[in-house]
Amino acid sequence: MRSVRARAALGATVVVALALVGAGLSVLLVLRANLTDQAGLQAEVVAREVAGQLALDVPYDRLEMRDEEDNPVQVTDEDGRVVAVSKDLRAISGTGTDRVTPVPAPTPAAGASGGGGDDDNGGDDSNDDDDSHATPAPGRGEVDSDEPDFTNGTANVDGETADYRFASVRATTPAGVTLTVHAGAPLAAEQEAVGTVRGAMLIGLPLLLLVVAGVTWLVTRRALRPVEDIRREMAAITASEDLSRRVPEPGSRDEVARLARTTNETLTALEASVDRQRRFVADASHELRSPIASLRTQLEVGAAHPELLDLPGAVADTVRLQVLAADLLLLARLDAGERPGRTVVDLGALVREEVSQRTGDRIAVTVSVPDSGPFEVAGSRGQLARVIGNLLDNAERHARSAVTVSVRAAERGAVVVAVTDDGAGVPPDERERIFERFVRLDDARTRDDGGAGLGLAIARDVAVRHGGRLTVDSAREGGARFELRLPGAG
């Protein structure tokens, strides 16, 4: 049962089995009820025919009964005594009495049919008669028009015992005697039909379930074949570590095809991530190798010739290594999914603080922060300060004579920090590439002026993880305008 095909086949078979069993029972019950009702209707017709004869005062021994072998009849009086039975009836059950030998009926008392107005008892009897059984007219009785009573029982006719559906109809003779006619109709047809249908179901149900299980197994196997191909290819990719391979995509437009496309998209993203990580390691190694080699050379020269030691150069290389190591550590934390804190930071105050600490800049930074603040956002104060510092460093590196930083409120409570310079700007086709790691444009290739190419990459990563974005456009001064947009703290 570890196979999806097996579970699907079993589940479908169980569901179909339950449905078929329920439907089969319903069919059997409806069939039995219909046939039983038909037998009851036939018995009622026979009973009313005999009751009609009794209402016409036909003597018991002259009653005409149709097909006495199929429709046994038993007539009883109010005291349950049998007064008439059909021919060849040997035994009966289900009618209230199993006697089949008629007994002479009592002679009705004089005046029982009415007319004894001076008789007190006769007058009382007339008043006590039930409305549904009024005293019949002379020479004619009455057949009860109410719904007859139905029962099931058995009867032995001419030595053969069978099941019957009995209908009991009451009749009143012209003499005022109330009799009950029990007429039966055979249930053999109902039993035979129900037995035939039940037998067919018992034979056909297992065969149908086998067909359902087999078809479900084959259909599921065919449907899951592409999934097995995907699994096999993924196992091969894992074993070979070749992320350039892709799983086969079926030509259908079903869920399996969408799974294959999503899997290939995931492999593409994974391949790009691994390639980016490899480039990052290679670029980081390259960037670290140069200052380390330079610092080692200066220290070896200083050890051999102390008078030739370039101490400021060694310090500069050490600082560069420190900055590069800090940048790499921050990128590693960001790649690991580090979430920024939820401290409320006033960007206006943070910009003023960062600018005030830049005392050695080549170009003085102009700050434009309205007094309508505070301009509060939620995040990490240290990381946001790093973003502003990196944007200012980039502007200082490329500006000719002016660097401006401004803070303003935007729509929907957002806060925008814009850093502009009057340098050469960024070509439109390079405006996304400059945010990649270790990317430096041609005019910023020198290591002393261009840095390691991590500042803008770190700035965008921090902005994205704070729920914002960092973009670059052309400034009115002709240079570049970097715009940091962050959601407000409210």
Side-chain angles (χ1 to χ4, degrees), residues 92-364:
I92 192 170
S93 65
T95 61
T97 177
D98 57 358
R99 291 189 294 272
V100 294
T101 303
V103 297
T107 303
S113 61
D118 294 337
D119 184 47
D120 293 339
N121 291 334
D124 292 341
D125 292 343
S126 175
N127 292 333
D128 291 341
D129 282 344
D130 188 89
D131 292 341
S132 61
H133 301 286
T135 301
R140 183 176 181 86
E142 185 181 64
V143 177
D144 192 352
S145 61
D146 293 341
E147 185 75 15
D149 296 329
F150 292 100
T151 57
N152 290 339
T154 61
N156 185 301
V157 179
D158 197 18
E160 295 183 2
T161 302
D163 295 326
Y164 289 85
R165 179 75 166 171
F166 290 101
S168 301
V169 176
R170 285 181 294 276
T172 303
T173 65
V177 179
T178 301
L179 302 173
T180 302
V181 180
H182 307 283
L187 293 175
E190 176 264 340
Q191 295 173 348
E192 182 179 358
V194 171
T196 301
V197 173
R198 182 170 56 243
M201 288 183 177
L202 292 177
I203 296 175
L205 181 60
L207 296 178
L208 182 58
L209 292 180
L210 288 176
V211 172
V212 170
V215 171
T216 304
W217 176 276
L218 294 177
V219 171
T220 308
R221 179 181 181 183
R222 181 179 180 85
L224 293 178
R225 186 175 301 164
V227 177
E228 177 61 22
D229 295 339
I230 294 173
R231 186 206 63 79
R232 189 181 299 108
E233 184 62 24
M234 287 296 295
I237 292 174
T238 303
S240 64
E241 299 183 358
D242 183 7
L243 295 178
S244 63
R245 299 174 61 174
R246 296 295 180 264
V247 300
E249 295 186 14
S252 59
R253 298 183 179 179
D254 55 9
E255 292 82 355
V256 177
R258 291 196 293 271
L259 172 64
R261 287 192 291 271
T262 303
T263 302
N264 284 334
E265 292 172 358
T266 302
L267 289 173
T268 301
L270 182 60
E271 182 183 14
S273 176
V274 172
D275 290 343
R276 184 171 60 251
Q277 190 70 20
R278 289 172 179 171
R279 289 196 305 270
F280 175 77
V281 173
D283 292 339
S285 301
H286 178 73
E287 294 292 336
L288 288 171
R289 186 182 299 112
S290 297
I292 290 176
S294 176
L295 181 60
R296 178 180 178 179
T297 300
Q298 295 180 48
L299 292 177
E300 289 176 350
V301 170
H305 306 281
E307 70 280 2
L308 299 179
L309 177 62
D310 183 8
L311 188 58
V315 172
D317 286 337
T318 303
V319 171
R320 184 180 176 189
L321 280 174
Q322 181 181 6
V323 172
L324 183 57
D327 288 345
L328 294 176
L329 180 61
L330 177 57
L331 285 174
R333 293 203 307 267
L334 294 176
D335 289 342
E338 179 182 282
R339 295 181 176 274
R342 301 301 298 174
T343 307
V344 177
V345 181
D346 184 354
L347 283 184
L350 183 62
V351 166
R352 290 193 184 98
E353 180 181 342
E354 285 296 311
V355 173
S356 65
Q357 296 176 0
R358 303 177 69 87
T359 56
D361 286 349
R362 178 174 61 90
I363 301 173

Side-chain angles (χ1 to χ4, degrees), residues 399-447:
R400 294 189 180 95
S401 60
V403 175
T404 302
V405 57
S406 63
V407 182
R408 64 179 175 86
E411 64 279 1
R412 300 181 181 178
V415 180
V416 177
V417 177
V419 178
T420 61
D421 62 72
D422 60 349
V426 181
D429 56 344
E430 299 285 354
R431 288 176 183 173
E432 282 300 317
R433 199 171 72 88
I434 61 173
F435 293 106
E436 298 177 6
R437 299 173 183 181
F438 298 106
V439 171
R440 295 186 297 270
L441 301 185
D442 292 339
D443 60 351
R445 285 292 183 181
T446 60
R447 299 190 181 280

